[in-house]
Amino acid sequence: MSEVVGEQPGQAAESHSQSVVMKFGGTSVEDAAAIRRAAQIVKLRLRNKPVVVVSALADVTDQLLEAGKAAARGQLQVATDALQALQQRHEQVVLDSAGPRDSECLLPQLESDFQQLRQLLQSISSAGELTPRLQDHLLGLGECLASKIVQAAFAQAGLEAVWVDARACIVTDAAHTQATPLWEETNQQLQSVLLPLLAQGKVPLLGGFIGSTRDGIPTTLGRGGSDYTASIVGAALQAARIEIWSDVDGILTADPKLCPDAHRVPAMSFEEAADLAYFGAKILHPAAIAPAMRKNVPVWVVNSRNPEGKGTEIVAQPGDDCCIKAITAKKGITVVDVEAVRWFAPELLREIFDVFERHQYGLDFLSASRGSLSLLVTSTSALPAITEELKGLANVRWESEKALVCLVGEKVRRQPEIASQVFRALSDVDLRMICHGASERNISFLLDESKAEDSVRRLHRLFFQSRFDRYSASNTAQPMCQAGGSWQ
Ligand code: ASP
Ligand code: MG
């Protein structure tokens, strides 16, 4: 979040556009029926000048990625067959949801996008490698296709939706697969393209996840990046709110796949939501909160299959004093121990960080002592090379298949009894406690990946079971569609 400059978190910003940014995830636009549901939800917001952001149709990004990998392995036929199936699926959605005139105009456009995709697979196959740059080009076309189709379907549903090419608005650096917006240019572009459309009563509609460099090379904002796009757009327009429409009832106290009795969190702070996303909750992209927080734009996480539901409200001050909001588990963690051959002179520390940075590792600290350093990373691919580079200075060892289980909530760290309750509840599990940075909002524990699910379940029972009734009784969040309210 440190790359965001500007107002302080929570500082009230004058709301320029008073519009509402509505992001629909893959499952909310997976087929014609889902897209029609989304159109109905947008219609309820017409008075609030909606701007719509959409993901690729459900599973398309994964399938494009698989096709790209197959092409890189030399299995071009497998890749083009997969593309063929994707083309049929997209064309079917057009036929099921767009009007005859729009279909006639859109189908040739899709054909040309798929032609581009076939050429890309060809280039990947010839290169024998799926480079980050080619990957961005390949995956980003999923959002281009979806946004064009949803625009036509919305038009058929009676909405004056206008397709906007997100790649021309979200200007990013060249960090392919994880690009960051160049804020000034992006804000300027978004304002100059979207505000006139809103003033004409149109509904601008753009693909999430994608952008391009100043030179027009396609980039992406990282997996799950459509949430981030929604937040970037909401901040640029100083929107009245941002709505993330998915297929769950809001942010839950734990992953419902792990804890079937997980329940909705009515409200949380921007910081709590950002921590949750960072520590592995899949519901939001880790960077998605920062732009909204910077402009103090409330974010709602809501369910497109249950639009009457209340969702989760994310604001500067949620006005509750609930200590633990949710439990997450982030798997696939490796602990790297770096032991100085002699001692940790400052130059050696610098050298170690430089080596990791050169290999593009984002680092989290586990612990540091005089003679050794423990770091947490999410990939082991460059560790052999790093070991080699540090030879003679430090010994490097690592242990994979770890998980980080995290309790998130304002003031969690101010309640020392929480950590001891965790240690007691998981007394049979080998635990290491980690305190990240200066944040008071979380406590994390490192444990074996194989123990993560059971541990989350046990902790959920410990901290939420008794609170469940109180939660449902004191559920004070605003309903999404208040009768006669401004959000109808
Ligand atoms: N379609 C992209 C992905 O699956 C971005 C998103 O859905 O937010 O990662
Ligand atoms: Mg997502």
Side-chain angles (χ1 to χ4, degrees):
M1 263 178 278
S2 54
E3 80 280 10
V4 178
V5 288
E7 288 96 325
Q8 292 303 305
Q11 186 177 325
E14 187 198 339
S15 191
H16 280 172
S17 67
Q18 280 301 331
S19 82
V20 53
V21 178
M22 309 176 75
K23 177 254 169 175
F24 292 91
T27 52
S28 301
V29 292
E30 65 187 348
D31 53 22
I35 297 172
R36 274 194 287 272
R37 271 199 303 275
Q40 293 314 312
I41 294 170
V42 174
K43 278 188 184 171
L44 291 175
R45 298 283 186 273
L46 274 182
R47 279 200 294 148
N48 304 102
K49 299 195 242 165
V51 176
V52 176
V53 174
V54 296
S55 293
L57 310 191
D59 303 323
V60 166
T61 314
D62 285 335
Q63 288 164 8
L64 287 172
L65 185 58
E66 280 315 310
K69 287 181 180 167
R73 281 194 305 269
Q75 298 175 311
L76 188 57
Q77 193 56 47
V78 173
T80 43
D81 287 351
L83 206 57
Q84 186 62 32
L86 276 175
Q87 181 161 4
Q88 273 166 13
R89 176 175 168 204
H90 282 83
E91 286 174 353
Q92 193 58 50
V93 178
V94 173
L95 296 172
D96 291 344
S97 64
R101 279 226 337 254
D102 280 336
S103 300
E104 209 175 295
C105 158
L106 187 52
L107 289 172
Q109 284 185 45
L110 293 198
E111 172 53 34
S112 115
D113 287 339
F114 275 97
Q115 187 53 33
Q116 225 186 102
L117 282 165
R118 277 187 284 274
Q119 275 162 6
L120 270 170
L121 290 178
Q122 191 80 53
S123 316
I124 294 164
S125 165
S126 322
E129 183 189 11
L130 182 58
T131 62
R133 183 169 157 163
L134 285 169
Q135 179 174 318
D136 272 356
H137 197 166
L138 181 75
L139 299 198
L141 282 164
E143 264 68 11
C144 293
L145 292 164
S147 52
K148 289 176 191 169
I149 294 174
V150 174
Q151 186 274 333
F154 275 17
Q156 176 67 9
L159 285 161
E160 278 194 76
V162 177
W163 183 74
V164 171
D165 189 349
R167 292 165 301 185
C169 297
I170 311 283
V171 188
T172 71
D173 61 15
H176 285 284
T177 76
Q178 271 313 330
T180 300
L182 304 176
W183 297 102
E184 219 166 290
E185 284 153 82
T186 297
N187 289 339
Q188 215 168 26
Q189 277 299 104
L190 285 168
Q191 286 161 8
S192 68
V193 174
L194 300 180
L195 290 175
L197 291 173
L198 290 173
Q200 293 161 33
K202 305 272 194 307
V203 178
L205 190 149
L206 55 154
F209 178 55
I210 51 178
S212 69
T213 63
R214 278 190 187 132
D215 307 329
I217 312 284
T219 54
T220 66
L221 305 173
R223 293 303 306 271
S226 298
D227 303 333
Y228 194 16
T229 306
S231 186
I232 294 164
V233 173
L237 299 183
Q238 300 199 348
R241 61 200 248 149
I242 295 161
E243 297 176 352
I244 307 289
W245 290 90
S246 69
D247 60 353
V248 282
D249 277 333
I251 294 182
L252 303 183
T253 49
D255 182 344
K257 288 190 199 109
L258 298 185
C259 299
D261 55 347
H263 52 273
R264 181 178 61 87
V265 181
M268 57 171 55
S269 69
F270 286 126
E271 287 92 348
E272 286 172 331
D275 276 12
L276 269 182
Y278 180 79
F279 285 106
K282 304 240 164 43
I283 186 90
L284 277 178
H285 182 284
I289 291 297
M293 180 163 85
R294 179 164 48 102
K295 296 287 183 186
N296 200 18
V297 181
V299 178
W300 287 79
V301 178
V302 266
N303 188 351
S304 65
R305 288 168 199 277
N306 178 22
E308 304 295 317
K310 292 172 179 170
T312 297
E313 180 190 30
I314 304 167
V315 284
Q317 268 145 13
D320 62 13
D321 56 358
C322 181
C323 182
I324 301 176
K325 290 287 170 60
I327 304 176
T328 60
K330 190 170 175 172
K331 290 192 188 175
I333 305 266
T334 294
V335 193
V336 186
D337 289 314
V338 185
E339 211 175 69
V341 169
R342 297 178 64 202
W343 66 83
F344 270 125
E347 311 80 73
L348 176 56
L349 276 178
R350 213 169 304 127
E351 174 64 21
I352 291 170
F353 291 130
D354 281 354
V355 172
F356 276 92
E357 202 181 309
R358 272 204 301 283
H359 287 278
Q360 289 171 353
Y361 272 101
L363 293 179
D364 274 324
F365 262 111
L366 177 55
S367 63
S369 69
R370 217 155 45 87
S372 77
L373 201 64
S374 294
L375 305 164
L376 301 181
V377 298
T378 49
S379 149
T380 55
S381 57
L383 292 179
I386 289 176
T387 309
E388 206 43 47
E389 286 181 47
L390 289 175
K391 214 173 191 162
L393 299 171
N395 298 319
V396 181
R397 275 191 321 260
W398 62 92
E399 225 184 307
S400 296
E401 292 173 13
K402 299 284 174 197
L404 206 53
V405 170
C406 185
L407 308 183
V408 176
E410 294 289 347
K411 308 191 189 75
V412 150
R413 292 258 297 277
R414 287 216 206 128
Q415 315 243 349
E417 69 278 7
I418 290 178
S420 50
Q421 278 175 290
V422 172
F423 278 110
R424 225 174 301 129
L426 303 180
S427 58
D428 55 331
V429 180
D430 184 18
L431 282 188
R432 283 203 251 176
M433 187 171 106
I434 307 154
C435 298
H436 275 272
S439 156
E440 286 189 346
R441 284 177 311 270
N442 65 70
I443 311 180
S444 346
F445 300 86
L446 192 75
L447 38 79
D448 281 341
E449 209 171 66
S450 60
K451 298 280 194 296
E453 296 181 1
D454 180 50
S455 300
V456 169
R457 257 182 246 131
R458 284 202 243 165
L459 293 178
H460 193 267
R461 222 173 297 134
L462 173 69
F463 290 112
F464 290 103
Q465 202 68 44
S466 59
R467 268 210 241 141
F468 184 64
D469 298 337
R470 216 187 70 202
Y471 248 120
S472 17
S474 69
N475 188 345
T476 53
Q478 294 289 308
M480 285 305 298
C481 299
Q482 295 167 2
S486 59
W487 296 107
Q488 277 245 308

